[in-house]
Every structure is written in structure tokens, then in C-alpha cells.
Amino acid sequence: MNTPPPLPPLAEKEQLLHPWSWLFVLLAQLRQFLFPLVALVIFGQRSAGREDSYQMVTMVIVAAVLVASALLRYFTYRYAIGADRVSVRSGLLARNRREIPFARIHNVAVQQNLLHRLFGVAEIRLESAGSKHPEAEMRVLRLDQALALEQLVRQHGRSPSPPQADPADSGGNDGPASATAGSQLLLALRALDLVRLGLVSNRGMVVVAAAIGAVFQLVPREVVGDLIKAHARQAMGMANGAALSTTSAILLAVLSLVLVLLMTRLLSVALAFVQYHRFVLSRADGRLTVERGLFSRSRSSVGQRRIQAWSLHQGLLQRWLRVQQLKIDIAAGNAEDNNNRSLRELAPIARQQQCTQLIQTLAPDLAWPPSQWQPVAPRQAWRLCLPALLLWQPLLITALWQLAGSSALLCLCLLPVTVWRAWRSVGFMGYHVDAHAVMVRGGWWQRWWRMAQTAKVQGLRLRRSPLDRLCGTASLLLDTAGSSMGGPRLQLALLPVAQAQQLLEQLSARISRPRVASSADAAAPVTQVLADLQST
């Protein structure tokens, strides 16, 4: 059918999850024991005696315990949907009851994999700020119930209206709806965009490295070592038999490396299609919604006012293709959680003009891009060379000395490259502070931009290392809710001490004011605020 059936009324009384929810809980538990069970079955000692019977009995007992645990979770999990909140009750001996107001829910994620589609169900997760785990994770609800709950949260408790079907879903209602009534389409990725995303990403290399690591973990080292030695001898024998010259051997090695890189890129393109197929970013009722996935469809939504910071990333290949990646930090869930149900990427890949337009549309107070960046003194470039000069190059020379002897000193030829890279990085570094936002940029090979509204800053910290004290510089760190430690930080680095202290005092005074006063002060001329910030 082209349109989903009318959404059912959401009863306020407590009710159970879907009757098949215990099966999905069981499968989630089995995934945690997948690798240990596979290793036990494949590499465990096999015998025809009593020990084999003991192993079978142990596996049956473990399976029975997991099934009983899943059934117990099903019969003890209750939820109720009120006018303005969701109530969840769970547990048998230790009973827990949680009240989750709609206004406190920052992120709503609806997940559907192939098995969910087969049973016509979906998994829904509700996240709020200040918690590393979801406030409620319902496995599983009927698809229409999950969409009704999502829309009710989106509208902050108002009566839900039936969502409209995605035109691409003409084959049936087998996933979360891609569009709702009154929604505004902000970004949709095409097949060519997914090909570009696969080419500029390293997902294929990550999968290959993970597979190699799994092989070394599951397969005994002796077996792996013998296999590598056998293939090495075979390759050497073929090379000697073919009587290849040194030039031919080098060309063969280069072609093999190019072939490996090509295969990993093709794998990256395939993974991009699996993860981001029919990627759609839309806005409705003050919330942003992202839907994506080929086999496993996921739908995540977050309130626009919950966005804490913005990040733009652009690698070397992305610069050649003139595309960027746009990410956000939200005050919900775990900032280090890379689960594909979390709304972190507003644009996995988009043209530079599209990313700029998204930021200008969703955060007009940022005034992106800034009219001028404050640069970092070029004389600070030598400080970026210190990690390579004092750590990486000595370690590399020491490691290669055992294999190549004095030829390892050729690594010193990388010194001019290190200096040149540091000089280019300092030339790109900069920051911008105005009445409403703080922005920083950095990198060279991998460029990045990070920005946040001043009202979203949670804390300020002035840091001076021993090297900073020697050079008369300081770094100003700005913390926001939901920031990830893995990405670039909102940090104004390599500033003169006087300038850093002045910025600290002025930004501290601004974020310490009540919001009413800040909103009234927003009418002040921006030029005067800029003059106060930049005067040193």
C-alpha cells in the first residue's frame, strides 16, 4: 500500500510490548555471546566421551537461561503514554518506574532491520540530556505504534496526525515513514553522492582491519603464521621462476598495492550504500529528522534547539570534490556512542554550498561563514613540529634500525615535510568571536571547523602548559553539552596570554548573564561588542 493505515489511539493505561518482543531481546543477548560461542564450537576440544555431553548440557542450560530472561523481561516491562509523558515500569524483584516528560526527550530513534520488517515492528529509543544511556528503549512495538509515539513526542504531547508515506515507498509500508505532514526537506543524498562518500571514506579499510584482527583473535597464531609463510614461499617461488627484474618486482608490488586500495574503496562504496541509502534530512515542528539505511532502516529526530555545537570536516579528497561533512553535538545520550541510530550527522557528504546553507538555515545566529578569521602567529609553527621531532621520528628510526641499520637515518628526510606541514597548519588555524558565537578552525590535510552559540557554552577553561609559560601563550577551552572527545575541540589555541585572559573574562561575563538579560542585550550594536572583544 502507498499510505500507512491510520495511527491507533495511544491508551494511557499500562500495556505490554509487542508479543514478539521477547524474541528480539533474546537475539540482542545472543549477539553479545556470539564470538565466544563460535570460538567454543570451532576451537573447543571435541571428544566422544562424557566431556562432550557436559558441553552440550552446558549450552542447553545457557540457552534456557537466555530464553527465560527474555520472557521475563517481556512480562515485567510495562509502558503507558500520558498527555505529556511516557511512563515505563520494569523489573520483578527490583522494580523500577521512570517518568519521562515529552519536553525532556531530546532524541527519538526508530530502528527497523530486516527481521523487524518481516514482523511489522520497530524498535524505539528515547534519549534525554545528562544520561549516557537511553531513558527508554522499547523492543519492540508495532510500526504504527512506534510512529505514533514518535510523532507525539515531536509535537510535545499534542494529538498525533497520520504521517504521509514516502514516495519512494511505493512498494509497501516496510519502514519508518520518510516524510510527515508539513515537513521541510533539507537534504537528500543521491546515488552519486553515496559513491563519493565511499571514495572519500576509509570504512572499507576499517572493515578489513577489523576482519584481520578477528582472524588473529579466533584462529590460533600457529595456523595464521603457517598460512602466511606458505603463501610467502609460493609468491617468492613464482617471482624467482618468472625471473623478474628489480624494476618489474617494484612495479608488481605497486600494482598489488593499488589493487588492494581499489578493493577497499569499492568496499567503502558498498558500505556507504548500505548505511546511507535513501538518506533524507527534514525539519518539522521544530525538530530535525534523519532517515537512512538499505537493509536496516533507522529514523532519528532531535529538537533543533537541542543542538549544542556544529562541526565541518573536509579531507584532501573532499577538497578536490568540493564536498564537506556536517556533524552536530546534541545534549542527549552518550557523546562517544557511534550507534547509527544517534543523530550526529546532518550531512555525511554534501557540497560546500549545501553545508553553508544548512548552517545558515538552522542556526542563523551563527552568521556563518564569518567575515574575518583571527589568525595565529606564524612563529608558533615550530611547536607543531615537536611531537614528530621528539616522539614519532625517533621511534620510527629505532624500529627500522634493527631491519635496515644505518639506512634508517633516511627517515630524517621527512623533517622538511614535517616543518612544511606545521607551517601550513598554523597558516590555516584561526578563530572568530562575536556577540553570538565562537568559531575555530584547524588542520591542513584534514581540515575542520567547529562553532557554537555563546549561549550554548557550559564552561570556560584557561590552560597553560610549561611550554605555554615559556612562550607566553595560553589556550582557551570552551565546553558544550554532548561534546565528543574524539573530534575537534572548541579551543582557541596559541593565543597571547593577555588576549586569552581578556577573552576569558568577556565570554565568562556573557555566559553568566541570565537569558532574559542576554536576549535584551542582543539588541546592542554588534560593532561595539566586536570592538570590546578584539581590543587588547
Side-chain angles (χ1 to χ4, degrees), residues 61 113 144 222 225 239 280 315 366 379 480 518:
I61 293 176
N113 56 32
D144 53 0
E222 294 79 6
V280 174
L366 288 177
R379 63 178 179 273
T480 58
S518 296

PDB file of all heavy atoms in Angstrom, residues 61 113 144 222 225 239 280 315 366 379 480 518:
ATOM      1  N   ILE A  61      21.662 -25.363  28.930  1.00  0.00           N
ATOM      2  CA  ILE A  61      21.313 -24.585  30.121  1.00  0.00           C
ATOM      3  C   ILE A  61      21.465 -23.092  29.851  1.00  0.00           C
ATOM      4  O   ILE A  61      20.601 -22.277  30.227  1.00  0.00           O
ATOM      5  CB  ILE A  61      22.185 -25.016  31.313  1.00  0.00           C
ATOM      6  CG1 ILE A  61      21.835 -26.453  31.723  1.00  0.00           C
ATOM      7  CG2 ILE A  61      22.005 -24.065  32.487  1.00  0.00           C
ATOM      8  CD1 ILE A  61      22.706 -27.006  32.822  1.00  0.00           C
ATOM      9  N   ASN A 113      15.276  -3.262  11.225  1.00  0.00           N
ATOM     10  CA  ASN A 113      16.120  -4.101  10.392  1.00  0.00           C
ATOM     11  C   ASN A 113      15.247  -5.066   9.593  1.00  0.00           C
ATOM     12  O   ASN A 113      14.010  -4.960   9.595  1.00  0.00           O
ATOM     13  CB  ASN A 113      17.157  -4.838  11.248  1.00  0.00           C
ATOM     14  CG  ASN A 113      16.516  -5.651  12.357  1.00  0.00           C
ATOM     15  OD1 ASN A 113      15.401  -6.157  12.207  1.00  0.00           O
ATOM     16  ND2 ASN A 113      17.201  -5.780  13.488  1.00  0.00           N
ATOM     17  N   ASP A 144       3.088   1.065  13.494  1.00  0.00           N
ATOM     18  CA  ASP A 144       2.195   2.215  13.609  1.00  0.00           C
ATOM     19  C   ASP A 144       2.243   2.814  15.009  1.00  0.00           C
ATOM     20  O   ASP A 144       2.169   4.038  15.174  1.00  0.00           O
ATOM     21  CB  ASP A 144       0.771   1.813  13.228  1.00  0.00           C
ATOM     22  CG  ASP A 144       0.290   0.594  14.001  1.00  0.00           C
ATOM     23  OD1 ASP A 144       1.072   0.075  14.839  1.00  0.00           O
ATOM     24  OD2 ASP A 144      -0.847   0.155  13.784  1.00  0.00           O
ATOM     25  N   GLU A 222      49.637 -20.114  15.383  1.00  0.00           N
ATOM     26  CA  GLU A 222      50.442 -21.044  14.602  1.00  0.00           C
ATOM     27  C   GLU A 222      49.829 -21.275  13.221  1.00  0.00           C
ATOM     28  O   GLU A 222      50.539 -21.331  12.209  1.00  0.00           O
ATOM     29  CB  GLU A 222      50.575 -22.386  15.335  1.00  0.00           C
ATOM     30  CG  GLU A 222      51.354 -22.306  16.633  1.00  0.00           C
ATOM     31  CD  GLU A 222      50.533 -21.748  17.773  1.00  0.00           C
ATOM     32  OE1 GLU A 222      49.314 -21.539  17.566  1.00  0.00           O
ATOM     33  OE2 GLU A 222      51.108 -21.505  18.855  1.00  0.00           O
ATOM     34  N   GLY A 225      50.374 -18.082  11.180  1.00  0.00           N
ATOM     35  CA  GLY A 225      51.780 -17.968  10.790  1.00  0.00           C
ATOM     36  C   GLY A 225      52.155 -18.943   9.687  1.00  0.00           C
ATOM     37  O   GLY A 225      52.840 -18.569   8.722  1.00  0.00           O
ATOM     38  N   ALA A 239      57.995 -15.580  -8.252  1.00  0.00           N
ATOM     39  CA  ALA A 239      58.840 -14.468  -8.685  1.00  0.00           C
ATOM     40  C   ALA A 239      60.178 -14.963  -9.211  1.00  0.00           C
ATOM     41  O   ALA A 239      60.685 -14.477 -10.234  1.00  0.00           O
ATOM     42  CB  ALA A 239      59.052 -13.495  -7.528  1.00  0.00           C
ATOM     43  N   VAL A 280      17.682  11.050   4.067  1.00  0.00           N
ATOM     44  CA  VAL A 280      16.800  12.215   3.978  1.00  0.00           C
ATOM     45  C   VAL A 280      16.908  12.988   5.281  1.00  0.00           C
ATOM     46  O   VAL A 280      16.767  12.417   6.371  1.00  0.00           O
ATOM     47  CB  VAL A 280      15.333  11.800   3.724  1.00  0.00           C
ATOM     48  CG1 VAL A 280      14.421  13.023   3.791  1.00  0.00           C
ATOM     49  CG2 VAL A 280      15.193  11.119   2.374  1.00  0.00           C
ATOM     50  N   GLY A 315      38.462  16.450   4.164  1.00  0.00           N
ATOM     51  CA  GLY A 315      39.761  15.864   3.883  1.00  0.00           C
ATOM     52  C   GLY A 315      40.287  16.294   2.526  1.00  0.00           C
ATOM     53  O   GLY A 315      39.695  17.124   1.823  1.00  0.00           O
ATOM     54  N   LEU A 366      24.556  32.121  14.131  1.00  0.00           N
ATOM     55  CA  LEU A 366      25.985  31.877  13.962  1.00  0.00           C
ATOM     56  C   LEU A 366      26.609  32.813  12.931  1.00  0.00           C
ATOM     57  O   LEU A 366      27.820  33.046  12.957  1.00  0.00           O
ATOM     58  CB  LEU A 366      26.229  30.426  13.547  1.00  0.00           C
ATOM     59  CG  LEU A 366      26.006  29.359  14.618  1.00  0.00           C
ATOM     60  CD1 LEU A 366      26.214  27.974  14.027  1.00  0.00           C
ATOM     61  CD2 LEU A 366      26.958  29.565  15.785  1.00  0.00           C
ATOM     62  N   ARG A 379      54.974  32.317  13.816  1.00  0.00           N
ATOM     63  CA  ARG A 379      56.182  31.875  14.529  1.00  0.00           C
ATOM     64  C   ARG A 379      55.895  30.703  15.471  1.00  0.00           C
ATOM     65  O   ARG A 379      56.836  30.096  15.995  1.00  0.00           O
ATOM     66  CB  ARG A 379      56.772  33.037  15.310  1.00  0.00           C
ATOM     67  CG  ARG A 379      55.866  33.586  16.406  1.00  0.00           C
ATOM     68  CD  ARG A 379      56.547  34.704  17.173  1.00  0.00           C
ATOM     69  NE  ARG A 379      55.707  35.275  18.211  1.00  0.00           N
ATOM     70  CZ  ARG A 379      54.848  36.256  18.023  1.00  0.00           C
ATOM     71  NH1 ARG A 379      54.747  36.795  16.814  1.00  0.00           N
ATOM     72  NH2 ARG A 379      54.113  36.717  19.014  1.00  0.00           N
ATOM     73  N   THR A 480      30.826  22.427  25.767  1.00  0.00           N
ATOM     74  CA  THR A 480      29.396  22.402  25.485  1.00  0.00           C
ATOM     75  C   THR A 480      28.844  21.035  25.843  1.00  0.00           C
ATOM     76  O   THR A 480      29.588  20.050  25.918  1.00  0.00           O
ATOM     77  CB  THR A 480      29.109  22.707  24.006  1.00  0.00           C
ATOM     78  OG1 THR A 480      29.802  21.748  23.190  1.00  0.00           O
ATOM     79  CG2 THR A 480      29.563  24.102  23.635  1.00  0.00           C
ATOM     80  N   SER A 518      20.444  38.464  28.486  1.00  0.00           N
ATOM     81  CA  SER A 518      21.201  38.219  27.261  1.00  0.00           C
ATOM     82  C   SER A 518      20.370  38.538  26.039  1.00  0.00           C
ATOM     83  O   SER A 518      20.851  39.085  25.059  1.00  0.00           O
ATOM     84  CB  SER A 518      21.659  36.756  27.226  1.00  0.00           C
ATOM     85  OG  SER A 518      22.555  36.519  28.284  1.00  0.00           O
TER      86      SER A 518
END
